[in-house]
Amino acid sequence: MGGEAFKALADPTRRHILELLRTKDLTAGEIAEHFDMTKPSLSHHLNTLKTAGLVEAERDGQNIIYSLNTSVLQGLMSWFYTFTDRSEDHER
């Protein structure tokens, strides 16, 4: 369940990118303004997030607009909530 997503979330830079996208969609350049790293490094992080399904990318002219894929995040949260279910069906 969500192996790629968990690997992507393990990195603090990628978590920070997700936090930035929480408020609005951003171009790669707008995301880059928040980090002191090379473009190839940022591109690697964005591609990892895309591969994990956590972000979506849409070309708009010369820009690529990144946005959160909330359905994947909701799926992960639902999976986490299964651990809080203490119904009789799950008792040992």
Side-chain angles (χ1 to χ4, degrees):
M1 163 69 204
E4 290 297 317
F6 287 120
K7 280 196 265 184
L9 291 170
D11 184 274
T13 298
R14 293 191 283 268
R15 290 194 306 267
H16 188 204
I17 292 170
L18 293 175
E19 289 170 6
L20 293 170
L21 293 173
R22 183 177 56 190
T23 54
K24 65 178 181 172
D25 299 348
L26 298 169
T27 66
E30 290 169 329
I31 294 169
E33 293 172 4
H34 297 270
F35 298 95
D36 183 25
M37 68 176 64
T38 65
K39 287 183 180 182
S41 293
L42 180 61
S43 180
H44 170 75
H45 287 295
L46 291 169
N47 284 329
T48 300
L49 290 168
K50 281 189 339 187
T51 299
L54 294 167
V55 300
E56 297 175 340
E58 184 176 324
R59 183 165 290 282
D60 182 26
Q62 291 187 355
N63 292 315
I64 298 177
I65 309 294
Y66 291 90
S67 60
L68 278 180
N69 182 354
T70 55
S71 63
V72 171
L73 292 169
Q74 289 170 344
L76 288 173
M77 292 303 296
S78 294
W79 181 78
F80 275 114
Y81 284 130
T82 65
F83 291 96
T84 63
D85 183 5
R86 294 290 191 183
S87 67
E88 292 179 23
D89 293 339
H90 292 81
E91 289 183 10
R92 293 181 182 210

